[in-house]
Amino acid sequence: MKEDILHNLEIINDRIKKACDKAGRNSDEVRLLLATKTVSAENIKTALENGETLIAENKVQELKDKYEALKDTPHENHFIGHLQTNKVKDILKYDVACVQSLDRLELAEKLHRRLLSEEKTIEVLIQVNTSNEESKFGIHPDDAVELTRKVSEFSTLKIKGLMTIGLFSAETERVRHCFKILKNLQQEIISQNIPNVEMKELSMGMSGDLETAIEEGSTIVRVGTAVFGARVYPDSYYWNEEKL
Ligand SMILES: *Cc1c(COP(=O)(O)O)cnc(C)c1O
């Protein structure tokens, strides 16, 4: 297993580099985020000890379960799953640096209130549903600018950019369309010069579509299966509201 992970990391980092070369981008503009849902702390550690620095969970329970085992290995932790408002406290407790899945005002309000009382701040990305699929979370693209504007008023939330899950499709151009929507929203938000809003991050691209995402301007690619292997749970377990 350890050899597999190290080998897979080499392949992924090479894919990122080649995609950057092809797009005429510098490969240090794109960070690899390891999506670690269902992955054991031991396997995550293998990746971190091999020089990876950025990991993310989808569920607070998994964050909690692996926290002790990983806390002495330097890394940065993001959160990429649907966050229920009653779990906000835990996100802060387990040192999450960035919530990439901020998709509604109610969640922003809860985060802000908690952060104020703890005298902390947190980075966030606004998650946009660019694929129009019911099963995926994220604000509708038409409402993303307004949500960004409202979230920007919370002094404890540092908006760094946008996140999306592209369409699952073998048709590259349909997937690319999702990434273009995110890029266009980024440009629109930048042009509005909203105080307290940075738009440098575009978190888009996964195991199957990272090349397309990098061509369209991704700064964070989120990769799970291509490094750690197939998951036992279907993705719907993580992405469908009904299943939560
Ligand atoms: C699981 C997950 C990923 C990674 O998906 P893979 O296809 O395993 O690379 C990326 N983003 C989110 C939000 C995820 O839940």
Side-chain angles (χ1 to χ4, degrees):
M1 190 65 207
K2 186 167 175 176
E3 282 70 37
D4 291 338
I5 292 170
L6 298 182
H7 178 67
N8 292 342
L9 279 171
E10 225 172 280
I11 292 173
I12 282 292
N13 281 310
D14 192 54
R15 277 175 63 188
I16 293 171
K17 191 177 173 307
K18 286 208 172 88
C20 286
D21 287 349
K22 192 177 163 211
R25 300 181 60 195
N26 199 321
S27 50
D28 62 16
E29 289 171 34
V30 181
R31 293 176 81 188
L32 170 59
L33 175 150
L34 299 174
T36 52
K37 54 179 180 271
T38 76
V39 179
S40 70
E42 191 193 340
N43 286 342
I44 298 170
K45 236 171 154 169
T46 297
L48 294 176
E49 283 165 355
N50 188 55
E52 295 307 325
T53 55
L54 182 57
I55 64 174
E57 290 291 350
N58 286 65
K59 286 187 179 285
V60 171
Q61 188 60 46
E62 284 192 55
L63 182 68
K64 203 166 166 172
D65 291 344
K66 301 171 203 175
Y67 181 75
E68 277 300 317
L70 296 177
K71 76 175 189 333
D72 297 324
T73 310
H75 66 277
E76 182 176 335
N77 225 339
H78 288 193
F79 193 80
I80 56 175
H82 181 66
L83 182 55
Q84 291 162 287
T85 47
N86 63 354
K87 299 276 171 67
V88 158
K89 230 199 289 187
D90 294 316
I91 289 287
L92 306 184
K93 192 153 123 198
Y94 299 112
D95 297 335
V96 169
C98 178
V99 174
Q100 294 202 0
S101 45
L102 188 64
D103 60 356
R104 60 202 194 279
L105 192 60
E106 186 206 7
L107 177 59
E109 281 166 350
K110 288 272 159 55
L111 272 168
H112 178 62
R113 230 175 288 156
R114 188 76 209 176
L115 285 158
L116 270 186
S117 73
E118 295 190 19
E119 296 183 24
K120 285 183 183 168
T121 64
I122 200 166
E123 296 184 351
V124 298
L125 305 184
I126 305 294
Q127 182 177 358
V128 183
N129 184 344
T130 54
S131 64
N132 244 322
E133 288 173 289
E134 300 256 327
S135 62
K136 283 179 200 157
F137 297 110
I139 185 89
H140 190 281
D142 291 348
D143 302 322
V145 178
E146 195 194 336
L147 179 63
T148 303
R149 205 172 265 289
K150 286 185 174 151
V151 173
S152 75
E153 291 169 11
F154 297 118
S155 57
T156 59
L157 303 180
K158 306 296 174 195
I159 302 175
K160 298 292 175 186
L162 305 173
M163 185 271 253
T164 198
I165 299 171
L167 185 73
F168 289 116
S169 168
E171 294 171 62
T172 306
E173 292 317 303
R174 294 183 65 202
V175 180
R176 186 185 303 281
H177 180 69
C178 297
F179 300 148
K180 280 193 188 293
I181 291 174
L182 205 68
K183 178 79 190 176
N184 288 339
L185 277 172
Q186 178 201 39
Q187 296 309 310
E188 189 181 338
I189 293 166
I190 289 172
S191 76
Q192 295 200 7
N193 267 320
I194 307 169
N196 193 30
V197 173
E198 271 182 56
M199 272 290 127
K200 65 172 200 287
E201 304 292 356
L202 283 181
S203 176
M204 57 189 196
M206 313 192 343
S207 292
D209 55 19
L210 66 89
E211 282 84 0
T212 311
I214 288 172
E215 277 174 45
E216 297 304 327
S218 173
T219 63
I220 300 175
V221 291
R222 307 180 309 268
V223 176
T225 48
V227 171
F228 299 110
R231 289 179 290 271
V232 176
Y233 292 107
D235 281 333
S236 60
Y237 174 70
Y238 286 89
W239 290 339
N240 280 353
E241 183 87 271
E242 308 81 65
K243 302 278 168 60
L244 293 171

PDB file of all heavy atoms in Angstrom, residues 1 34 37 49 62 81 96 107 117 124 141-142 146 153 158 161 181 183 227-228 237:
ATOM      1  N   MET A   1       0.830  -1.210   0.000  1.00  0.00           N
ATOM      2  CA  MET A   1       0.000   0.000   0.000  1.00  0.00           C
ATOM      3  C   MET A   1       0.867   1.264   0.000  1.00  0.00           C
ATOM      4  O   MET A   1       0.633   2.190  -0.751  1.00  0.00           O
ATOM      5  CB  MET A   1      -0.923  -0.021   1.238  1.00  0.00           C
ATOM      6  CG  MET A   1      -1.995   1.069   1.206  1.00  0.00           C
ATOM      7  SD  MET A   1      -3.192   0.840  -0.152  1.00  0.00           S
ATOM      8  CE  MET A   1      -3.710   2.524  -0.426  1.00  0.00           C
ATOM      9  N   LEU A  34      -5.043  16.595  -1.034  1.00  0.00           N
ATOM     10  CA  LEU A  34      -5.413  15.183  -0.960  1.00  0.00           C
ATOM     11  C   LEU A  34      -6.770  15.046  -0.269  1.00  0.00           C
ATOM     12  O   LEU A  34      -6.919  15.440   0.889  1.00  0.00           O
ATOM     13  CB  LEU A  34      -4.339  14.401  -0.212  1.00  0.00           C
ATOM     14  CG  LEU A  34      -2.960  14.433  -0.881  1.00  0.00           C
ATOM     15  CD1 LEU A  34      -1.914  13.756   0.008  1.00  0.00           C
ATOM     16  CD2 LEU A  34      -2.991  13.786  -2.266  1.00  0.00           C
ATOM     17  N   LYS A  37     -11.131  11.262   2.449  1.00  0.00           N
ATOM     18  CA  LYS A  37     -12.283  10.529   2.979  1.00  0.00           C
ATOM     19  C   LYS A  37     -12.076   9.025   2.833  1.00  0.00           C
ATOM     20  O   LYS A  37     -11.570   8.571   1.800  1.00  0.00           O
ATOM     21  CB  LYS A  37     -13.585  10.973   2.309  1.00  0.00           C
ATOM     22  CG  LYS A  37     -13.582  10.906   0.804  1.00  0.00           C
ATOM     23  CD  LYS A  37     -14.945  11.352   0.251  1.00  0.00           C
ATOM     24  CE  LYS A  37     -14.986  11.290  -1.240  1.00  0.00           C
ATOM     25  NZ  LYS A  37     -14.546  12.531  -1.884  1.00  0.00           N
ATOM     26  N   GLU A  49       4.476  12.475   4.878  1.00  0.00           N
ATOM     27  CA  GLU A  49       5.917  12.279   5.106  1.00  0.00           C
ATOM     28  C   GLU A  49       6.696  12.274   3.791  1.00  0.00           C
ATOM     29  O   GLU A  49       7.915  12.396   3.770  1.00  0.00           O
ATOM     30  CB  GLU A  49       6.148  10.983   5.907  1.00  0.00           C
ATOM     31  CG  GLU A  49       5.810  11.196   7.383  1.00  0.00           C
ATOM     32  CD  GLU A  49       5.660   9.885   8.163  1.00  0.00           C
ATOM     33  OE1 GLU A  49       5.724   8.814   7.535  1.00  0.00           O
ATOM     34  OE2 GLU A  49       5.450   9.973   9.394  1.00  0.00           O
ATOM     35  N   GLU A  62     -14.792  12.004  10.512  1.00  0.00           N
ATOM     36  CA  GLU A  62     -13.483  11.487  10.070  1.00  0.00           C
ATOM     37  C   GLU A  62     -12.341  12.416  10.482  1.00  0.00           C
ATOM     38  O   GLU A  62     -11.247  11.968  10.823  1.00  0.00           O
ATOM     39  CB  GLU A  62     -13.468  11.276   8.549  1.00  0.00           C
ATOM     40  CG  GLU A  62     -14.232  10.041   8.129  1.00  0.00           C
ATOM     41  CD  GLU A  62     -13.975   9.666   6.660  1.00  0.00           C
ATOM     42  OE1 GLU A  62     -12.804   9.504   6.267  1.00  0.00           O
ATOM     43  OE2 GLU A  62     -14.963   9.557   5.925  1.00  0.00           O
ATOM     44  N   GLY A  81     -16.519  19.046   2.646  1.00  0.00           N
ATOM     45  CA  GLY A  81     -17.821  18.378   2.626  1.00  0.00           C
ATOM     46  C   GLY A  81     -18.956  19.298   3.015  1.00  0.00           C
ATOM     47  O   GLY A  81     -18.741  20.449   3.391  1.00  0.00           O
ATOM     48  N   VAL A  96      -9.085  23.290  11.343  1.00  0.00           N
ATOM     49  CA  VAL A  96      -9.316  23.434   9.906  1.00  0.00           C
ATOM     50  C   VAL A  96      -8.936  24.859   9.501  1.00  0.00           C
ATOM     51  O   VAL A  96      -9.409  25.829  10.085  1.00  0.00           O
ATOM     52  CB  VAL A  96     -10.785  23.128   9.555  1.00  0.00           C
ATOM     53  CG1 VAL A  96     -11.110  23.539   8.128  1.00  0.00           C
ATOM     54  CG2 VAL A  96     -11.076  21.648   9.769  1.00  0.00           C
ATOM     55  N   LEU A 107     -24.839  29.153   7.216  1.00  0.00           N
ATOM     56  CA  LEU A 107     -23.583  28.553   7.674  1.00  0.00           C
ATOM     57  C   LEU A 107     -22.551  29.645   7.983  1.00  0.00           C
ATOM     58  O   LEU A 107     -21.840  29.578   8.986  1.00  0.00           O
ATOM     59  CB  LEU A 107     -23.047  27.581   6.608  1.00  0.00           C
ATOM     60  CG  LEU A 107     -21.706  26.921   6.891  1.00  0.00           C
ATOM     61  CD1 LEU A 107     -21.732  26.112   8.189  1.00  0.00           C
ATOM     62  CD2 LEU A 107     -21.292  26.026   5.719  1.00  0.00           C
ATOM     63  N   SER A 117     -16.679  34.485  19.211  1.00  0.00           N
ATOM     64  CA  SER A 117     -16.581  34.127  20.629  1.00  0.00           C
ATOM     65  C   SER A 117     -15.240  33.479  20.946  1.00  0.00           C
ATOM     66  O   SER A 117     -14.762  33.545  22.073  1.00  0.00           O
ATOM     67  CB  SER A 117     -17.754  33.245  21.057  1.00  0.00           C
ATOM     68  OG  SER A 117     -17.591  31.958  20.520  1.00  0.00           O
ATOM     69  N   VAL A 124     -12.207  30.848   3.899  1.00  0.00           N
ATOM     70  CA  VAL A 124     -13.318  30.138   3.264  1.00  0.00           C
ATOM     71  C   VAL A 124     -13.239  30.287   1.746  1.00  0.00           C
ATOM     72  O   VAL A 124     -12.691  31.262   1.221  1.00  0.00           O
ATOM     73  CB  VAL A 124     -14.704  30.665   3.741  1.00  0.00           C
ATOM     74  CG1 VAL A 124     -14.894  30.445   5.236  1.00  0.00           C
ATOM     75  CG2 VAL A 124     -14.919  32.125   3.380  1.00  0.00           C
ATOM     76  N   PRO A 141     -24.889  29.412  -9.522  1.00  0.00           N
ATOM     77  CA  PRO A 141     -24.008  30.460 -10.057  1.00  0.00           C
ATOM     78  C   PRO A 141     -24.653  31.855 -10.071  1.00  0.00           C
ATOM     79  O   PRO A 141     -23.975  32.856  -9.793  1.00  0.00           O
ATOM     80  CB  PRO A 141     -23.715  29.987 -11.487  1.00  0.00           C
ATOM     81  CG  PRO A 141     -23.842  28.509 -11.421  1.00  0.00           C
ATOM     82  CD  PRO A 141     -24.917  28.216 -10.400  1.00  0.00           C
ATOM     83  N   ASP A 142     -25.951  31.923 -10.341  1.00  0.00           N
ATOM     84  CA  ASP A 142     -26.627  33.224 -10.378  1.00  0.00           C
ATOM     85  C   ASP A 142     -26.627  33.928  -9.017  1.00  0.00           C
ATOM     86  O   ASP A 142     -26.812  35.146  -8.954  1.00  0.00           O
ATOM     87  CB  ASP A 142     -28.092  33.065 -10.813  1.00  0.00           C
ATOM     88  CG  ASP A 142     -28.197  32.661 -12.272  1.00  0.00           C
ATOM     89  OD1 ASP A 142     -27.176  32.732 -12.979  1.00  0.00           O
ATOM     90  OD2 ASP A 142     -29.310  32.267 -12.688  1.00  0.00           O
ATOM     91  N   GLU A 146     -23.862  37.495  -4.981  1.00  0.00           N
ATOM     92  CA  GLU A 146     -24.587  38.049  -3.833  1.00  0.00           C
ATOM     93  C   GLU A 146     -24.169  37.371  -2.529  1.00  0.00           C
ATOM     94  O   GLU A 146     -23.972  38.040  -1.497  1.00  0.00           O
ATOM     95  CB  GLU A 146     -26.094  37.893  -4.053  1.00  0.00           C
ATOM     96  CG  GLU A 146     -26.914  38.742  -3.113  1.00  0.00           C
ATOM     97  CD  GLU A 146     -28.391  38.343  -3.100  1.00  0.00           C
ATOM     98  OE1 GLU A 146     -28.849  37.769  -4.103  1.00  0.00           O
ATOM     99  OE2 GLU A 146     -29.038  38.596  -2.084  1.00  0.00           O
ATOM    100  N   GLU A 153     -19.153  40.544   4.642  1.00  0.00           N
ATOM    101  CA  GLU A 153     -19.453  41.440   5.767  1.00  0.00           C
ATOM    102  C   GLU A 153     -19.113  40.823   7.118  1.00  0.00           C
ATOM    103  O   GLU A 153     -19.085  41.514   8.130  1.00  0.00           O
ATOM    104  CB  GLU A 153     -20.933  41.857   5.713  1.00  0.00           C
ATOM    105  CG  GLU A 153     -21.197  42.781   4.526  1.00  0.00           C
ATOM    106  CD  GLU A 153     -22.673  43.023   4.260  1.00  0.00           C
ATOM    107  OE1 GLU A 153     -23.509  42.651   5.108  1.00  0.00           O
ATOM    108  OE2 GLU A 153     -22.989  43.579   3.189  1.00  0.00           O
ATOM    109  N   LYS A 158     -12.468  34.950   5.995  1.00  0.00           N
ATOM    110  CA  LYS A 158     -11.548  35.486   4.991  1.00  0.00           C
ATOM    111  C   LYS A 158     -11.780  34.757   3.663  1.00  0.00           C
ATOM    112  O   LYS A 158     -11.315  33.625   3.478  1.00  0.00           O
ATOM    113  CB  LYS A 158     -10.094  35.288   5.448  1.00  0.00           C
ATOM    114  CG  LYS A 158      -9.793  35.864   6.845  1.00  0.00           C
ATOM    115  CD  LYS A 158      -9.959  37.376   6.853  1.00  0.00           C
ATOM    116  CE  LYS A 158      -9.802  37.957   8.246  1.00  0.00           C
ATOM    117  NZ  LYS A 158     -10.298  39.342   8.323  1.00  0.00           N
ATOM    118  N   GLY A 161     -11.507  32.638  -2.378  1.00  0.00           N
ATOM    119  CA  GLY A 161     -11.795  32.229  -3.744  1.00  0.00           C
ATOM    120  C   GLY A 161     -13.031  31.367  -3.824  1.00  0.00           C
ATOM    121  O   GLY A 161     -13.916  31.442  -2.968  1.00  0.00           O
ATOM    122  N   ILE A 181     -17.448  28.416 -15.871  1.00  0.00           N
ATOM    123  CA  ILE A 181     -18.424  29.160 -15.065  1.00  0.00           C
ATOM    124  C   ILE A 181     -17.743  29.698 -13.804  1.00  0.00           C
ATOM    125  O   ILE A 181     -17.910  30.859 -13.432  1.00  0.00           O
ATOM    126  CB  ILE A 181     -19.636  28.264 -14.691  1.00  0.00           C
ATOM    127  CG1 ILE A 181     -20.470  27.955 -15.938  1.00  0.00           C
ATOM    128  CG2 ILE A 181     -20.494  28.926 -13.606  1.00  0.00           C
ATOM    129  CD1 ILE A 181     -21.598  26.947 -15.688  1.00  0.00           C
ATOM    130  N   LYS A 183     -14.499  30.220 -13.270  1.00  0.00           N
ATOM    131  CA  LYS A 183     -13.519  31.242 -13.655  1.00  0.00           C
ATOM    132  C   LYS A 183     -14.205  32.582 -13.970  1.00  0.00           C
ATOM    133  O   LYS A 183     -13.748  33.645 -13.549  1.00  0.00           O
ATOM    134  CB  LYS A 183     -12.741  30.745 -14.887  1.00  0.00           C
ATOM    135  CG  LYS A 183     -11.718  31.698 -15.432  1.00  0.00           C
ATOM    136  CD  LYS A 183     -10.452  31.658 -14.620  1.00  0.00           C
ATOM    137  CE  LYS A 183      -9.507  32.783 -14.999  1.00  0.00           C
ATOM    138  NZ  LYS A 183      -8.314  32.796 -14.143  1.00  0.00           N
ATOM    139  N   VAL A 227      -4.732   8.740  -5.866  1.00  0.00           N
ATOM    140  CA  VAL A 227      -3.603   8.538  -4.960  1.00  0.00           C
ATOM    141  C   VAL A 227      -3.830   7.345  -4.033  1.00  0.00           C
ATOM    142  O   VAL A 227      -2.966   6.498  -3.849  1.00  0.00           O
ATOM    143  CB  VAL A 227      -3.332   9.813  -4.119  1.00  0.00           C
ATOM    144  CG1 VAL A 227      -2.310   9.530  -3.014  1.00  0.00           C
ATOM    145  CG2 VAL A 227      -2.828  10.941  -5.007  1.00  0.00           C
ATOM    146  N   PHE A 228      -5.036   7.277  -3.457  1.00  0.00           N
ATOM    147  CA  PHE A 228      -5.280   6.280  -2.409  1.00  0.00           C
ATOM    148  C   PHE A 228      -6.060   5.054  -2.887  1.00  0.00           C
ATOM    149  O   PHE A 228      -6.318   4.142  -2.115  1.00  0.00           O
ATOM    150  CB  PHE A 228      -6.031   6.936  -1.246  1.00  0.00           C
ATOM    151  CG  PHE A 228      -5.270   8.059  -0.600  1.00  0.00           C
ATOM    152  CD1 PHE A 228      -5.674   9.384  -0.739  1.00  0.00           C
ATOM    153  CD2 PHE A 228      -4.123   7.797   0.147  1.00  0.00           C
ATOM    154  CE1 PHE A 228      -4.973  10.424  -0.137  1.00  0.00           C
ATOM    155  CE2 PHE A 228      -3.417   8.833   0.752  1.00  0.00           C
ATOM    156  CZ  PHE A 228      -3.837  10.146   0.608  1.00  0.00           C
ATOM    157  N   TYR A 237     -22.763   8.952  -1.007  1.00  0.00           N
ATOM    158  CA  TYR A 237     -22.783   8.933   0.449  1.00  0.00           C
ATOM    159  C   TYR A 237     -22.255  10.258   1.005  1.00  0.00           C
ATOM    160  O   TYR A 237     -22.658  10.722   2.056  1.00  0.00           O
ATOM    161  CB  TYR A 237     -21.930   7.766   0.954  1.00  0.00           C
ATOM    162  CG  TYR A 237     -21.747   7.725   2.438  1.00  0.00           C
ATOM    163  CD1 TYR A 237     -22.803   7.410   3.297  1.00  0.00           C
ATOM    164  CD2 TYR A 237     -20.508   8.015   3.006  1.00  0.00           C
ATOM    165  CE1 TYR A 237     -22.624   7.382   4.670  1.00  0.00           C
ATOM    166  CE2 TYR A 237     -20.322   7.982   4.380  1.00  0.00           C
ATOM    167  CZ  TYR A 237     -21.378   7.663   5.199  1.00  0.00           C
ATOM    168  OH  TYR A 237     -21.188   7.640   6.558  1.00  0.00           O
TER     169      TYR A 237
END
